[in-house]
């Protein structure tokens, strides 16, 4: 990979965390992402699932800040992201997967509709438990597309990305597959 391709990939990965586009990754970006997922699936922030998602987002933020916020200002600049987080993620992708896992697990639980009052599964269906739409350990490709929509992934990429997460082609995405793919996406090799 050449230097310009590397910079493009880093910019894309940074932008995916910088939910408000202000040029820094902060706690608020993680909370914004959690709120967007809850809104997309009609899940209350004060529900057990909503609280689990916010706790997962906070843990994810704390892990990222611990890796990359070198100046301690409670935000991660693109330079800190490139030289701190990306290097550490590349050196130890399993560590990154573990700080992301509680957030991803909570996202999948909300998307699967196993939360009381959630609207996982088909958009526009009523509340209820949604248990017929799956379990907390897996989501459908369509549910993953909705998560990607909530997180601001461009429309032209959502279907491709969600389908690629379905490793065995059975229409369902496991937590293990989601966590592995997430870690692989963010552990970008340096240019040669």
């Amino acid at each position: 990979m050449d230097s310009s391709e590397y910079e493009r990939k880093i910019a894309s990965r940074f932008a995916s965390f910088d939910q408000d586009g202000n040029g820094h990754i902060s706690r608020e970006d993680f909370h914004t992402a959690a709120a967007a997922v809850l809104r997309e699936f009609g899940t209350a922030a004060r529900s057990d699932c909503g609280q689990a998602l916010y706790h997962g987002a906070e843990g994810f933020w704390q892990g990222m800040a611990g890796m990359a916020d070198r100046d301690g200002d409670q935000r991660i600049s693109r330079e800190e992201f490139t030289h701190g987080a990306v290097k550490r993620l590349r050196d130890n992708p399993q560590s990154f997967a573990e700080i992301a896992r509680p957030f991803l697990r909570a996202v999948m639980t909300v998307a699967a509709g196993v939360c009381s009052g959630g609207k996982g599964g088909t958009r526009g269906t009523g509340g209820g438990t949604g248990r017929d739409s799956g379990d907390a350990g897996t989501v459908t490709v369509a549910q993953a597309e909705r998560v990607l929509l909530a997180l601001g992934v461009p429309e032209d990429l959502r279907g491709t990305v969600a389908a690629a997460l379905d490793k065995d082609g059975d229409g369902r995405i496991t937590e293990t597959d989601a966590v592995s793919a997430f870690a692989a996406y963010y552990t970008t090799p340096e240019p040669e």
Side-chain angles (χ1 to χ4, degrees):
M1 170 183 336
D2 67 19
S3 165
S4 63
E5 181 182 1
Y6 177 74
E7 285 300 316
R8 183 187 58 75
K9 285 186 175 187
I10 291 300
S12 171
R13 279 127 179 98
F14 181 83
S16 69
F17 280 116
D18 183 15
Q19 291 282 302
D20 60 11
N22 70 355
H24 292 91
I25 301 168
S26 66
R27 172 180 280 112
E28 290 75 26
D29 291 312
F30 285 83
H31 286 231
T32 297
V37 170
L38 292 174
R39 193 170 37 256
E40 174 64 24
F41 291 94
T43 303
R46 292 188 182 260
S47 69
D48 288 345
C49 288
Q51 290 300 295
L53 184 53
Y54 278 114
H55 287 294
E58 178 63 22
F60 197 178
W61 159 248
Q62 292 292 331
M64 286 290 287
M67 277 193 259
D69 184 17
R70 292 189 279 174
D71 61 10
D73 66 354
Q74 291 297 300
R75 56 188 197 166
I76 301 168
S77 68
R78 183 163 178 229
E79 181 181 330
E80 286 174 320
F81 182 76
T82 303
H83 299 295
V86 173
K87 182 187 181 322
R88 288 191 176 133
L89 299 176
R90 190 177 50 250
D91 293 346
N92 190 353
Q94 189 56 37
S95 172
F96 178 66
E98 291 313 309
I99 65 169
R101 184 180 301 278
F103 176 73
L104 293 173
R105 178 178 293 140
V107 165
M108 291 179 74
T109 300
V110 168
V114 297
C115 303
S116 179
K119 296 180 187 171
T122 307
R123 178 186 287 262
T125 61
T129 63
R131 293 192 188 281
D132 61 334
S133 62
D135 60 58
T138 67
V139 294
T140 66
V141 172
Q143 290 164 334
E145 283 187 59
R146 287 178 60 197
V147 168
L148 295 170
L149 166 70
L151 296 177
V153 173
E155 184 177 359
D156 61 324
L157 297 176
R158 286 193 296 262
T160 304
V161 170
L165 293 172
D166 179 14
K167 297 292 184 195
D168 62 6
D170 69 351
R172 300 205 66 81
I173 300 162
T174 67
E175 179 183 315
T176 301
D177 288 340
V179 170
S180 296
F182 196 77
Y185 178 75
Y186 285 99
T187 52
T188 304
E190 285 189 274
E192 297 172 4

